[in-house]
Amino acid sequence: MRAWVLGEFEGSEALLAATRLLRAEGLRALDTHTPYPVRGLEEALGLPRSGVSTVAFVGGVVGVLTAYLTMVYFNVVEYPLNLANKPPHSPPVFIPVTFEIMVLFSSLAIVTSLVVYFWAFPRLHHPLFEHDAFRSASSHGWWLSVNSEMPDMVMRARERLDALGAKNVTVIHEFTAAPGGHA
Amino acid sequence: MSAASKENALITGAQTDTSLNQSLLGFVWSKPTRGYKQTLLLLSGGVGALLLSLFLLLWQGVGVWGNNHPVGWGFDIINFVWWIGIGHAGTLISAILLLFQQKWRTSINRAAEAMTLFAVVCALMYPTFHTGRPWFDWWMLPYPSTLGVGPQFKSPLLWDVFAIATYGTVSLLFWYVGLIPDLAALRDGSKSKAARLAYGVFALGWRGSGRHWSHWKLGYLLLAGLSTPLVLSVHTIVSFDFAVSHIPGWHSAIFPPYFVAGAVFSGFAMVVSLMIPARKFMKLEHVITLTHLENMNKVILLTGLIVSYGYAMEHFTAWYSGSEYEWTTFFETRTKGPYAPLYWAMWFCNLIVPQVFWVKKWRRSLPVMFTVAILVNIGMWLERFVIIVISLHRDFLPSSWAMYYPTPADLAMFLGSIAFFLTAFMLFCKFLPAVAVAEVKEQNHAEHVKGPA
Amino acid sequence: MTTKPPPAVTWRLPVLDNPVGAPRSHESVYGHAYWRSVEEQRGEGAGPSGEFLPGASLLDAMTRREAMTLLGASAALAGVGCTMKPSDTILPYHQAPEGLTIGNPQQYATAMSVGGVATPLLVTAREGRPVKIEGNPGVPWSGGASGPFEQAELLCLYDPLRLKRFSQNGEPVAKEDALAALTRLTEMASKKNKGAGVRLLLEPNGSPSREALLAALAESLPNAKVLMHAPLYPHARYAGAQLALGRRLEPHYRFQNARVILSLDADFTFPHGPGLRQARAFAESREPGPSMSRLYVVEPSLTITGSMADHRLRMRASDIEAFTRALVALLSRQLPALAQVPGAEATPASPFLEAVAADVVKAGPRAVLVVGDRQPAAVHAFAHAVNGALGSIGETVTFTAPAHTAHVDALQSLVADIERGAAESVIIFGGNPVYSAPAHLGLAASLKKVPTFYGGLYEDETARVSRWVLPASHFLESWGDVRLADGSVALTQPLVEPLYETVSEAQVLGALLGRFAAPAAWSFKESWRQRSTVTGDFEAHFAQWLRAGWVTQSAFSTETPVVNFAAVAEAAKTPAVEGMELALTVDSKVFDGRYAQVPWLQELPDPLTKVVWDNAALVSPKTAEQLGFPKQHFKGTDGYRVPLLRITAHGQSLEVPAFVLPGHADNSVSLALGYGGSSHDKTVAQSVGVNAYRLRATENSWLSPCTVENTGRHHTLVCTQEHWDMHQRDLALQAVRDEATQTLALDTFDHFEGRWKKKPLVEHLQTLKGPQPALYDYAPREVAKTRVEYRWGMAIDLNRCTGCSACVTACYAENNIPTVGKEGVKRNREMAWLRVDRYFIGELDTPGVITQPIPCMQCETAPCEYVCPVNATSHSEEGLNDMVYNRCIGTRYCANNCPYKVRRFNYFHYHQNKTPSERLAMNPEVTVRARGVMEKCTYCVQRIERARIEYRREGQAIPDGAVQTACQQACPTQAIAFGNLNDPQARVSRLHASERRYDLLHDLNTRPRTVYLARVKNPHPGLS
């Protein structure tokens, strides 16, 4: 049975300090919930560099190939026509569409991978939303969460958060296993 | 803080996360005022006119417009280019200013991006319907046809299809990705269950997790990186519609940069003219400050000068080329032809008027900048009229020269598209945060380091 | 007599068994040439309708909708043209005429005559319906050209507004009753004073079979009077011949032999009847070279002939007699034969006059004077005298007896007879005389007083005042014959059963003869058999005549008259017109008014003014200034907002829109006849123009004094071309021939130096032809030159083009081009694939005029092609710029990028409201374009493909001349050449290689396949 221990801090600095401390103490499955990104939190949480850039690159390459080959297929292979005495395969005129499709594919890859893979969205319900005070996380609250399946770890996290001065410390249990999901 | 920096502050007053939350999201929660409703009602009349004109067009054909031989493109393409130009400001502000780390982008980017989207929709309406038989438009897509014949990729119009479609899609994605944290804030701040559900669906389950933010930041930056060349490419490609042809007045190598500058010029003017009333009615003066507007006015001045340089360059090229046709188009038809008043009005609006922004006092004066912005919008519309109609109505063979006049259906569609644009913008302000709340808070936080509530 | 009704489901085709075919045709294509139906109708098989088999009518046994279904089905069988599946039962086409293969066109020879002007024709029929009218090249007199009127007859045939019911006092009656009434009339009239009270008013056409009928009628009604009348009949021409030559003679000009031509108000290239042949002969004389002719024109208003002149003198029409007398006076010093004719000295002598006199004398027998039909007999007589004195008679002008005669005062005597009770019943066939009669004659009121029978195509003014109205058959529906100008007889062969229950003129005369009751007793063929003098097998001869379209060797013999100088000397002096002159003109679009209903012609731009859907009072710039409107107010889509003038002549006044025409004579107003009919249909010609006949003094008067005042009100005139000068661009080029050195030079504007320069033509044209280097050239084009068998190309010789616009109408007819109406043209949406640009050069009062037909140039590097997003327009291997209508989505980008502006967009669904009968006129080989589609000239690709099929079956290459585009075929002067550029012997290749050839807008490197040959002017050295 998974559980989350939640606690709200006074500000981003307090949150950052608490995160660093708890991580140093060996607590894993830490996460923060902030209304806007806080500089330094990635290092504090020990997050790796996001893989979105790789996805974007692959999307772009696929876009370039798709666009160029499609154009060549339609205008050169399948039905070459004499238009204004220009050669069917005229690379310069294929540049604009190739570029556009590269951007399109890359952008779609970024957003799709973000939503589906990196964020594992849509996840319209999450146990954290059970906690009413947690609604401040999107506007002005600075929350820290510890996720664990081990009851003693949950207890420990709860004590540490209390000790660090967090408000609204709560434990939320997940009764049904939700598929996937990181934090 | 020094007096100077106070004057140039991007967020005025001692703001906290909570106060910003209240002031920036307040408009969404507030009950619509009588004025708001009346304006919407008025605008819906315009949208009705738009629908009526489209019905007429589909029922009877393009003949309900004023297009003719030799002026095959009239209001349809003028308005298309005008709208797509306006649609450049949002993404430009969001993407390029983000890349250049311009702090003043944060308060205005959201509304500007929304404007972009609505302007792109307005723009798309024209090429979609201008064939008179939009049910055949899909022939421009590369689908496996039994005829074996596909689209013709040498045509700049086809480049347009892909450019505009990509631009619309990427702008939407960019805007939406930026909106997700604010949607979560709306979800969490909503009182009613319905609102919570509606915003919740679009927030996708955003919890502000450090991991979310980590991916979000990189993804957003990458989208900005892609959008920047995209935004430049779109108007470049729109300019190819003209530059690739060989009509005097169209066939010009200066077109891509000059069109892009023109797009920024008109886009910023539109942002300014919309922001001035919007920030007042939505009480956003503390985040959309005079400094923001002044910065935009500087961009208007700069791009106005680039555009004017473009005009001058066109004329120089026409003179230097020694081509009789070019010469006639630029030095006879435009300057002395039947549409000459519109041509000179274009110079006035786009070159003379923005010069007032050399004066700081006027740059920061709301009435002055509103007037200038409106005139620039008119001027940029005239520019498209000059390029499209004046070039077409007199080209190579004088025997085919003829006049073009719009019809009531043309005007209904044009005014209707403006009404649609404003309606969409008003609904956007009502249902979504018109300012990027998370980003403003982040910036507020950065400026007042010790400012936690 | 037994008549067996045919089964209801059969669809018999009309009498279509005498195909001519082109010389290249072979039997399997055009079928065996049998002649069957007249044979059948002579026997017991003839039905009560007199001329045709019962149930044979196309639109009789079934509704027109059903007929359309059948046509649609047959078109679908041929795999062309049809987009809708027939929704009704398809009936087998099981009684098809022999030799007809569904989907293949058949050509038949026939002929038409309007108002005394006859043209031999070749008509193409598709599945039994005529779809295209062309001139008959097989008739030696003709040359195969056709003008706008000939083309337009097709729409008259299918006009939904044609009269369709017989009526008496406005009440419908049966056809039999109407014809029986005619028979009764003869019976009663012959008893009473041998028909002295009967008057027949007919149009002159010289028909021998009609003469035979009239002769038979004269036996039963010896005292009846037959009046021949046509409102535009050239009475003065014959009166002049009578005066100078002693008898009525028809002059035939042999311009091909002429070196100097002086036209005195004669528009001799007017594209109709003899004008077609004269235009060709004139064009032949204009070949640049030592024998090139020189044309002097003296006329009040610009005509297409005047626009071809080397020297044109604008002069009021009524002053031309004085000019002629002065010329005769000058000439009589050097031509002794003229000494008897005193003439009158001009004071002061003009350089023009002296140059003409010198040139005429120098050319001797190879000079010729031509006089317009508006001029009084005296001017004609003087011209004959000069031609006789020069020895030109027999050399550049020959004479025959006229093909027919008409009464100079037919209407006047008719009215007089009715008023004094001498005329008791009147039978009118064709011509609508009530409309064209002078207003003060009161013809309408008179006709109402007596029983009047009127046979006409429309419910027109005459029909309204007639007691009996008989719907007339169109000439494409009836048998007949006409005399061409040289007297040869051309046979009118019906191409289709009458679409409605109608009568032909022969049937009306037959009814008068009482032969209606026994229809078999008369037939067209029998009439010919009885009068025939041929030896041998009459049947074979007759079949041959029908196939050829004319009775071979039937022309009148050429006469060589001697000029009676003494009589000419006494020719009465016509009193000069003081003040303002009203000069009525024959319109090149509506003729005498009979074509006012034809949208093709109403929308055809006037060759000089480019006005459509209106007639206007043409005045000179100076006269306009005097009348208080110095400037033509130009208002774009509002067209020309022009002042309305009130013109008063002979007590009648009319309000006419004014139009300033450069080169018009001062103090003169030119006004075209034929417009403003009060009965014209709402949708076509209602409120189009004003009826200038009202201003006529007598039924054949042309020039009269008038008063003109500016009403201060305005009218909107619509033109297809609003800019009249070339802006110093090298567009329609015109070189000047130097007589002494035989070299050609032209004035060209140097845009760098900003001034005009005189350059040798050949040198200048070197810079205006051939491919230019391109950054991005595509080798396959060069390969294609050798690999492809045909490289189609066109050449247009501006030196031959008169701007008559016959080509434009032919293009409309061939390619199913819609008309858009005055409002449409006002919005610049006319659909003409081929237009004739007209530019003025030089001074406002003495302008040069040059016309330039602009079809699609079929550019090898076509700017329209690469901008189409859906491949709707692309290049064929043979060089055609193809347009795929069903692929076009209508972005209009191609039209924008076309520098020649020859692409036309369907802004509305122009064909939507076509009636079933109008649809019959459609060419099934050309797609009918829907709304939202771009369309353009494709060198009549359907004709190319048909020829390809024909010759491929024979395993032959398409020879030169086997494919003629519609415009080329119609062109009276053969200004258009089309053919295979890979064939060096083809006419088009020779013209492409001409030193006068140039490419329009050459610097754009579009590499057009259509090229132009510069026009050459041959001015008098002393006058230029």
Side-chain angles (χ1 to χ4, degrees), chain B residues 328-397:
Chain B
T328 306
T329 293
F330 284 95
F331 296 102
E332 301 280 336
T333 313
R334 287 194 180 180
T335 54
K336 298 177 216 158
Y339 295 114
L342 298 178
Y343 170 78
W344 293 113
M346 172 193 89
W347 274 106
F348 173 75
C349 292
N350 294 350
L351 175 69
I352 311 289
V353 169
Q355 303 308 319
V356 302
F357 286 152
W358 288 108
V359 180
K360 177 155 182 145
K361 195 176 126 199
W362 289 341
R363 216 155 56 213
R364 293 179 75 90
S365 153
L366 291 176
V368 169
M369 70 174 89
F370 187 75
T371 313
V372 170
I374 294 293
L375 284 176
V376 166
N377 273 313
I378 293 172
M380 286 307 291
W381 190 90
L382 290 173
E383 179 200 299
R384 278 62 182 250
F385 185 92
V386 166
I387 291 172
I388 294 171
V389 172
I390 298 192
S391 302
L392 280 178
H393 94 293
R394 294 186 174 184
D395 59 356
F396 296 101
L397 300 184

Side-chain angles (χ1 to χ4, degrees), chain B residues 289-323:
Chain B
T289 63
L290 279 178
T291 309
H292 287 99
L293 295 173
E294 188 192 355
N295 285 342
M296 287 196 278
N297 291 340
K298 287 178 185 165
V299 176
I300 289 177
L301 178 59
L302 172 72
T303 49
L305 289 171
I306 299 176
V307 166
S308 303
Y309 170 78
Y311 299 161
M313 202 61 209
E314 277 187 313
H315 288 73
F316 170 77
T317 316
W319 170 78
Y320 190 68
S321 72
S323 160

Side-chain angles (χ1 to χ4, degrees), chain C residues 4 8 12 86 127 129 151 261 276 281 372 424 506 532 560 665 777 803 980 988 990:
Chain C
K4 201 169 67 185
R12 287 192 185 216
E127 283 80 51
R129 60 194 168 97
Q151 304 287 337
I261 303 163
L276 297 170
E424 290 162 355
S532 167
T560 321
D777 216 356
N980 179 7
V988 67
R990 295 202 306 273

Side-chain angles (χ1 to χ4, degrees), chain A residues 138-159:
Chain A
S138 59
S139 54
H140 56 274
W142 306 91
W143 293 79
L144 188 83
S145 75
V146 185
N147 177 9
S148 178
E149 289 190 21
M150 289 176 287
D152 57 328
M153 192 63 99
V154 173
M155 286 303 293
R156 189 175 147 220
R158 184 176 184 147
E159 282 162 20

Side-chain angles (χ1 to χ4, degrees), chain B residues 39 87 147 158 178 223 228 250 252 257 304 319 325-326 341 363 374 382 414 435 445:
Chain B
T39 314
L147 294 172
L158 208 64
L223 282 176
T228 302
W250 284 16
S252 174
W319 170 78
Y325 312 113
E326 295 277 336
R363 216 155 56 213
I374 294 293
L382 290 173
F414 178 43
V435 173
H445 181 77

Side-chain angles (χ1 to χ4, degrees), chain C residues 356-699:
Chain C
V356 172
D359 241 11
V360 161
V361 172
K362 195 173 146 205
R366 306 199 70 184
V368 65
L369 270 62
V370 193
V371 181
D373 295 328
R374 295 195 294 192
Q375 291 299 320
V379 181
H380 288 266
F382 282 125
H384 290 313
V386 173
N387 287 340
L390 291 166
S392 304
I393 294 180
E395 179 70 23
T396 47
V397 56
T398 59
F399 291 91
T400 63
H404 39 66
T405 59
H407 298 85
V408 69
D409 55 353
L411 301 183
Q412 232 170 324
S413 72
L414 180 65
V415 171
D417 282 359
I418 294 173
E419 293 304 320
R420 64 186 172 86
E424 290 162 355
S425 49
V426 181
I427 298 138
I428 304 171
F429 202 90
N432 194 10
V434 171
Y435 159 72
S436 58
H440 60 78
L441 212 53
L443 180 64
S446 294
L447 285 178
K448 277 185 191 162
K449 294 177 184 164
V450 292
T452 304
F453 288 77
Y454 175 61
L457 277 179
Y458 296 103
E459 180 151 10
D460 51 28
E461 287 85 344
T462 312
R464 282 190 196 157
V465 300
S466 301
R467 198 165 296 177
W468 291 84
V469 177
L470 320 170
S473 303
H474 190 263
F475 79 86
L476 288 170
E477 299 171 329
S478 39
W479 288 101
D481 43 24
V482 298
R483 273 199 196 278
L484 308 178
D486 65 349
S488 35
V489 178
L491 300 181
T492 300
Q493 186 178 205
L495 267 282
V496 65
E497 293 284 340
L499 297 177
Y500 317 106
E501 197 171 45
T502 52
V503 286
S504 65
E505 189 187 66
Q507 281 171 294
V508 169
L509 295 176
L512 280 172
L513 285 168
R515 295 181 187 175
F516 163 68
W522 182 85
S523 83
F524 176 71
K525 188 176 165 193
E526 279 316 293
S527 157
W528 269 95
R529 190 196 298 281
Q530 283 160 20
R531 285 178 286 116
S532 167
T533 54
V534 293
T535 51
D537 183 7
F538 170 77
E539 295 289 333
H541 274 101
F542 193 71
Q544 165 56 29
W545 295 341
L546 280 176
R547 225 176 288 132
W550 70 302
V551 180
T552 36
Q553 312 307 327
S554 58
F556 293 143
S557 54
T558 304
E559 306 196 17
T560 321
V562 181
V563 179
N564 181 350
F565 290 102
V568 176
E570 281 157 30
K573 201 166 191 169
T574 317
V577 171
E578 301 295 331
M580 196 72 90
E581 163 202 84
L582 172 68
L584 299 171
T585 58
V586 180
D587 192 68
S588 62
K589 303 193 285 173
V590 303
F591 193 54
D592 59 4
R594 76 181 67 214
Y595 297 119
Q597 304 267 14
V598 180
W600 285 346
L601 293 181
Q602 286 284 7
E603 199 153 312
L604 180 69
D606 180 275
L608 274 309
T609 63
K610 294 290 164 192
V611 170
V612 296
W613 293 97
D614 254 318
N615 64 342
L618 309 180
V619 294
S620 74
K622 194 176 160 203
T623 306
E625 205 171 317
Q626 285 164 354
L627 289 168
F629 55 102
K631 281 186 181 167
Q632 194 88 259
H633 293 291
F634 170 57
K635 290 271 185 186
T637 45
D638 291 339
Y640 284 92
R641 200 160 158 272
V642 297
L644 269 178
L645 301 182
R646 185 178 296 110
I647 301 179
T648 311
H650 307 294
Q652 302 285 332
S653 58
L654 269 187
E655 293 194 356
V656 193
F659 194 88
V660 180
L661 184 65
H664 198 284
D666 296 335
N667 286 324
S668 177
V669 179
S670 293
L671 182 59
L673 296 164
Y675 288 86
S678 63
S679 63
H680 293 146
D681 172 64
K682 292 180 184 65
T683 57
V684 179
Q686 199 194 34
S687 68
V688 171
V690 295
N691 182 0
Y693 284 116
R694 294 180 54 80
L695 298 181
R696 267 187 149 183
T698 61
E699 47 187 290

